[in-house]
Amino acid sequence: MKTEKEIKKQIGSLSENEKTRIKEIIITLKEVIADGTVTENNFKRVTNILSELSIFRENFITRLFRLFKQNHMVD
């Protein structure tokens, strides 16, 4: 049986793919800020970012529930 720390590390850690995508989102937001204009392209970029962040949020909620179901404390 896995220890509490092992389970937290497995479920609670961001994957390399997730970290990379978050960094890409940050870069895109910086580009939108640097552009500083309201355009159709920037609107699409921000809308896509919102969709991706919504997916991240749902995944985080799922992970938290999985930890709770296994009766482990979550920090």
Side-chain angles (χ1 to χ4, degrees), residues 13-28:
S13 297
L14 291 174
S15 70
E16 288 304 314
N17 187 32
E18 290 170 323
K19 289 177 186 178
T20 301
R21 191 59 204 132
I22 290 171
K23 289 175 185 176
E24 290 170 355
I25 288 171
I26 292 168
I27 291 168
T28 303

Side-chain angles (χ1 to χ4, degrees), residues 5 7-9 11 16-19 21 24 30-31 34 40 42 47 50 58 69-71 74:
K5 286 184 180 183
I7 292 171
K8 280 185 182 181
K9 184 177 181 183
I11 297 174
E16 288 304 314
N17 187 32
E18 290 170 323
K19 289 177 186 178
R21 191 59 204 132
E24 290 170 355
K30 286 180 180 180
E31 290 171 354
E40 184 178 354
N42 282 341
T47 301
L50 286 171
E58 293 300 319
K69 284 182 183 179
Q70 294 180 17
N71 294 322
V74 178

Side-chain angles (χ1 to χ4, degrees), residues 9-62:
K9 184 177 181 183
Q10 178 185 1
I11 297 174
S13 297
L14 291 174
S15 70
E16 288 304 314
N17 187 32
E18 290 170 323
K19 289 177 186 178
T20 301
R21 191 59 204 132
I22 290 171
K23 289 175 185 176
E24 290 170 355
I25 288 171
I26 292 168
I27 291 168
T28 303
L29 285 172
K30 286 180 180 180
E31 290 171 354
V32 170
I33 291 169
D35 183 34
T37 59
V38 178
T39 63
E40 184 178 354
N41 185 46
N42 282 341
F43 174 76
K44 287 179 183 178
R45 294 169 85 184
V46 171
T47 301
N48 288 340
I49 288 170
L50 286 171
S51 296
E52 288 189 56
L53 289 174
S54 178
I55 292 168
F56 273 113
R57 182 180 177 275
E58 293 300 319
N59 288 338
F60 281 25
I61 290 170
T62 301

